[in-house]
C-alpha cells in the first residue's frame, strides 16, 4: 500500500470512528472521575521552559499573574459564566483553559483592554494564510484531501484536513516539495512569525475554524473561512468573542469524547489538556481503540497543563464565587 493510500485510509478510519456512539457505548458511558491520574505533574516541555526563562519569570509567577487578572476583571468573569451557560459547560473549564495557557505559554497582560487593542491591530492588517507560496485554499484542493467532506461540518472537516497534513505532508517530500516537520497550524496559520500569540485565549486559527459551525449555531457569529483571515483574528483576539470560542472548544471536546463513550465533563484537567493539545476526535478514538484492545489503558490522562488545573482546582473554583 502506497504512502498516500495509507494516509487516506487512516483518515477514513479516524472519521468513521468519530461518529455517533453505538448503543453499547451509550449504555456504558464511562464517567471520568475528578482529580489527576498521576501523583506528580507530568514533564513540562522544553519549549515552555525556554519561553518562561527568556522572560526572566517562573511558572508560579505567571500562574499568579493570570489569577490576579481574573480576580480584577469582574466583567470578564461575567462573560465566562454567560459563555459557559450558552454552551452547557461548567465555567471552571473555561477558567482552566485560560490559566493553563498563561501559565505555560504566554504571560497575562495587565488588563483585558490590552487584548482589545491587539484585536484591532490584527483586524486592520493585510495578510493571508500561505505556506511555500501557496494559499491554504489552493493547497486544500490537492487530491490527498478529497476524502475530507464539507458535508460533515467544520469540526470533522478541519480535523480531517489536519490529519491528512500529519499523515501525507508533515516532514515529507511530496511531488518534489519538502514540507517542514511542523503542524498544519504552524505551517499555514501563523502568517506573521513563529511563536505568534493569539489573544486572551491563545486560540489558534485552525481551532477556531474547527468550531465555527458550533459558534455560528449557538452564538450567531458569521462562519469563519480561510479566505477572510482578518475575521478569524478578530474573533480569536477580541476577549468578548474569544471567551465564546473557548466555551465552544470545550463543548466540542466533551462531545467528541462522549461519542466514544467517555464523559469528561467533570474533569477540568482533561478538558484543559485537550485545549492545549487539540485533536479531541482523534484522541478520543485512540482511547476507545486502546480500551477495546485490552491494552490496559482505560481513561484519559492529564498532561502537565491539565494536571496543574486539577491540582489548583479549589483556588480556581474560588474565582467563580459571587462578590
Amino acid at each position: 500500500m502506497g504512502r498516500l493510500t495509507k494516509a487516506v485510509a487512516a483518515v477514513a478510519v479516524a472519521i468513521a470512528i468519530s461518529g455517533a456512539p453505538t448503543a453499547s457505548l451509550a449504555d456504558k458511558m464511562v464517567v471520568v472521575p475528578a482529580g489527576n491520574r498521576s501523583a506528580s505533574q507530568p514533564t513540562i516541555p522544553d519549549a515552555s521552559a525556554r519561553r518562561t526563562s527568556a522572560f526572566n519569570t517562573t511558572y508560579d509567577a505567571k500562574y499568579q499573574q493570570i489569577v490576579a487578572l481574573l480576580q480584577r476583571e469582574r466583567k470578564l468573569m461575567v462573560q465566562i459564566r454567560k459563555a459557559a451557560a450558552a454552551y452547557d459547560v461548567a465555567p471552571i473549564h473555561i477558567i482552566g483553559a485560560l490559566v493553563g495557557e498563561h501559565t505555560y505559554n504566554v504571560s497575562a497582560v495587565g488588563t483585558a483592554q490590552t487584548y482589545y487593542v491587539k484585536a484591532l491591530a490584527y483586524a486592520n492588517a493585510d495578510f493571508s494564510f500561505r505556506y511555500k507560496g501557496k494559499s491554504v485554499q489552493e493547497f486544500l484542493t490537492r487530491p490527498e484531501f478529497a476524502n475530507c467532506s464539507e458535508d460533515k461540518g467544520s469540526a470533522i472537516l478541519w480535523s480531517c484536513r489536519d490529519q491528512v497534513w500529519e499523515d501525507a505532508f508533515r516532514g515529507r517530500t511530496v511531488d518534489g516539495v519538502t514540507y517542514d516537520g511542523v503542524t498544519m497550524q504552524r505551517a499555514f496559520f501563523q502568517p506573521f512569525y513563529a511563536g505568534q500569540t493569539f489573544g486572551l485565549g491563545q486560540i489558534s486559527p485552525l481551532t477556531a475554524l474547527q468550531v465555527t459551525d458550533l459558534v455560528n449555531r449557538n452564538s450567531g457569529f458569521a462562519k469563519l473561512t480561510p479566505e477572510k483571515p482578518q475575521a478569524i483574528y478578530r474573533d480569536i483576539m477580541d476577549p468578548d468573542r474569544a471567551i465564546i470560542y473557548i466555551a465552544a472548544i470545550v463543548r466540542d471536546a466533551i462531545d467528541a469524547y462522549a461519542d466514544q463513550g467517555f464523559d469528561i465533563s467533570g474533569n477540568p484537567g482533561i478538558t484543559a489538556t485537550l485545549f492545549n493539545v487539540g485533536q479531541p476526535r482523534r484522541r478520543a478514538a485512540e482511547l476507545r481503540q486502546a480500551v477495546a484492545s485490552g491494552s490496559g489503558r482505560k481513561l484519559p490522562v492529564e498532561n502537565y497543563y491539565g494536571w496543574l488545573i486539577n491540582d489548583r482546582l479549589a483556588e480556581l473554583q474560588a474565582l467563580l464565587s459571587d462578590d
Side-chain angles (χ1 to χ4, degrees):
M1 184 182 290
R3 183 172 65 233
L4 174 57
T5 306
K6 287 181 179 178
V8 171
V11 172
V13 170
I15 295 302
I17 60 181
S18 67
T22 64
S24 60
L25 285 183
D27 292 341
K28 299 177 182 178
M29 184 72 73
V30 175
V31 177
V32 177
N36 286 314
R37 308 282 75 80
S38 304
S40 58
Q41 186 175 32
T43 303
I44 300 171
D46 290 341
S48 180
R50 288 194 297 271
R51 276 193 296 268
T52 301
S53 176
F55 288 94
N56 195 29
T57 185
T58 65
Y59 296 129
D60 188 61
K62 291 165 73 176
Y63 171 85
Q64 295 299 335
Q65 194 173 9
I66 181 60
V67 167
L69 173 66
L70 293 171
Q71 288 172 330
R72 288 194 307 270
E73 301 281 347
R74 303 316 299 173
K75 177 186 174 185
L76 185 60
M77 296 304 296
V78 170
Q79 292 171 320
I80 287 171
R81 289 190 182 90
K82 287 182 177 179
Y87 287 82
D88 192 24
V89 299
I92 190 62
H93 292 288
I94 301 175
I95 297 290
L98 287 170
V99 170
E101 284 299 325
H102 289 86
T103 299
Y104 294 112
N105 288 330
V106 299
S107 299
V109 299
T111 67
Q113 184 62 35
T114 304
Y115 291 109
Y116 290 105
V117 174
K118 288 184 177 182
L120 288 173
Y122 277 104
N124 293 320
D126 182 17
F127 64 95
S128 61
F129 296 134
R130 307 182 69 83
Y131 176 72
K132 291 188 177 288
K134 286 186 181 292
S135 69
V136 67
Q137 302 96 294
E138 182 182 3
F139 186 74
L140 292 172
T141 64
R142 291 185 61 105
E144 291 89 341
F145 296 96
N147 279 11
C148 297
S149 172
E150 296 186 14
D151 296 338
K152 295 185 177 181
S154 62
I156 292 179
L157 171 65
W158 284 99
S159 295
C160 177
R161 288 170 168 174
D162 192 23
Q163 191 64 50
V164 171
W165 168 267
E166 291 291 317
D167 293 338
F169 296 99
R170 182 174 180 174
R172 300 178 182 275
T173 298
V174 183
D175 296 335
V177 178
T178 299
Y179 296 91
D180 297 317
V182 298
T183 63
M184 187 179 192
Q185 156 62 35
R186 184 163 182 177
F188 282 100
F189 294 103
Q190 294 189 169
F192 300 106
Y193 54 87
Q196 177 184 354
T197 60
F198 303 103
L200 180 66
Q202 293 296 288
I203 302 164
S204 76
L206 180 56
T207 303
L209 285 165
Q210 288 174 346
V211 298
T212 188
D213 281 358
L214 177 57
V215 172
N216 171 259
R217 188 165 60 247
N218 274 31
S219 301
F221 293 1
K223 290 187 179 182
L224 301 176
T225 69
E227 290 85 358
K228 296 181 178 180
Q230 290 80 9
I232 297 177
Y233 270 71
R234 174 202 62 203
D235 281 10
I236 63 178
M237 296 295 291
D238 183 324
D240 295 338
R241 289 176 174 257
I243 294 299
I244 294 292
Y245 278 87
I246 294 173
I249 293 164
V250 170
R251 177 75 263 164
D252 186 58
I254 291 173
D255 289 345
Y257 271 73
D259 284 347
Q260 297 301 327
F262 301 95
D263 179 359
I264 62 172
S265 63
N267 191 314
I270 293 297
T271 56
T273 295
L274 292 167
F275 190 85
N276 176 232
V277 300
Q279 299 176 315
R281 280 166 182 76
R282 189 190 76 189
R283 297 177 192 281
E286 289 173 347
L287 177 59
R288 171 51 54 193
Q289 288 181 323
V291 171
S293 69
S295 68
R297 185 180 171 206
K298 296 182 179 180
L299 293 171
V301 177
E302 303 80 9
N303 71 350
Y304 68 99
Y305 179 119
W307 191 93
L308 174 79
I309 303 310
N310 281 341
D311 188 60
R312 307 286 180 91
L313 196 56
E315 182 177 356
L316 298 178
Q317 285 280 16
L319 293 170
L320 292 162
S321 62
D322 294 333
D323 294 335

